[in-house]
Amino acid sequence: MTIVDTGGFRRAAEALNISQPAVSQHIRRLDALIGEPVFRDAGQSLTLGTVGEELLRHARQLVRANDELILRLAPSYARTPRPGVCDASSGSPRPCCAAEGKGPARPDGAHRTADELTDQLAEGALDVVLKLGARRAADRVIGAITCGWFGHRCL
């Protein structure tokens, strides 16, 4: 859906925050699964094939049904998430941010320590906290990711 909505593989990759080759690989896997190409070779323009149009129509229906079900069963999820983001371990002097829950989820610049953010999470003032570093015994971890740092050696 994102490839069609954004108008191309590169833009879809940017919107999904993944590499363009990763987007291409997903489409190649989908082509192999379906047994025919999702997109037609139309030179410079991006065109869905017949199977691609059908797949897109069903994908949009699934997303709509998912959204409707969540709104019906869990109306509290309809609001904008309230994240807390911290890039340092608890108690660090480096600032952490808490979002206000208005508009798209984004830090508002309100500085908190990692411990303050996890306390706000426990109190229900935040929905999720992204915290790097040491974990407190009271922290309820709902997920973990492997992180890689990319950049120039001189940084």
Side-chain angles (χ1 to χ4, degrees):
M1 289 182 2
T2 306
I3 295 169
V4 172
D5 292 344
T6 60
F9 283 59
R10 183 185 53 79
R11 289 187 199 120
E14 290 171 1
L16 296 168
N17 200 25
I18 61 174
S19 69
Q20 186 273 320
V23 172
S24 297
Q25 182 178 20
H26 284 290
I27 295 302
R28 282 192 302 276
R29 287 180 182 162
L30 189 56
D31 291 346
L33 179 69
I34 294 170
E36 61 183 278
V38 173
F39 291 96
R40 278 193 296 239
D41 186 12
Q44 295 285 54
S45 66
L46 185 64
T47 308
L48 284 171
T50 305
V51 72
E53 290 174 2
E54 184 176 353
L55 183 63
L56 179 64
R57 186 174 46 257
H58 286 285
R60 291 197 192 283
Q61 288 173 353
L62 286 170
V63 169
R64 267 192 308 276
N66 177 72
D67 292 349
E68 289 169 7
L69 183 63
I70 287 177
L71 287 174
R72 198 171 119 246
L73 298 178
S76 64
Y77 286 137
R79 65 173 165 64
T80 302
R82 299 165 300 169
V85 180
C86 187
D87 65 351
S89 60
S90 64
S92 168
R94 292 192 72 182
C96 302
C97 298
E100 289 294 318
K102 299 174 187 162
R106 66 191 187 307
D108 69 353
H111 298 303
R112 314 272 194 283
T113 66
D115 285 346
E116 289 172 327
L117 287 177
T118 51
D119 289 343
Q120 287 183 331
L121 178 67
E123 296 163 2
L126 296 174
D127 296 313
V128 66
V129 171
L130 173 62
K131 177 176 137 179
L132 303 178
R135 176 181 154 195
R136 297 187 315 182
D139 290 347
R140 180 174 166 249
V141 178
I142 60 170
I145 60 170
T146 302
C147 182
W149 294 92
F150 302 88
H152 298 282
R153 284 188 169 259
C154 63
L155 294 176

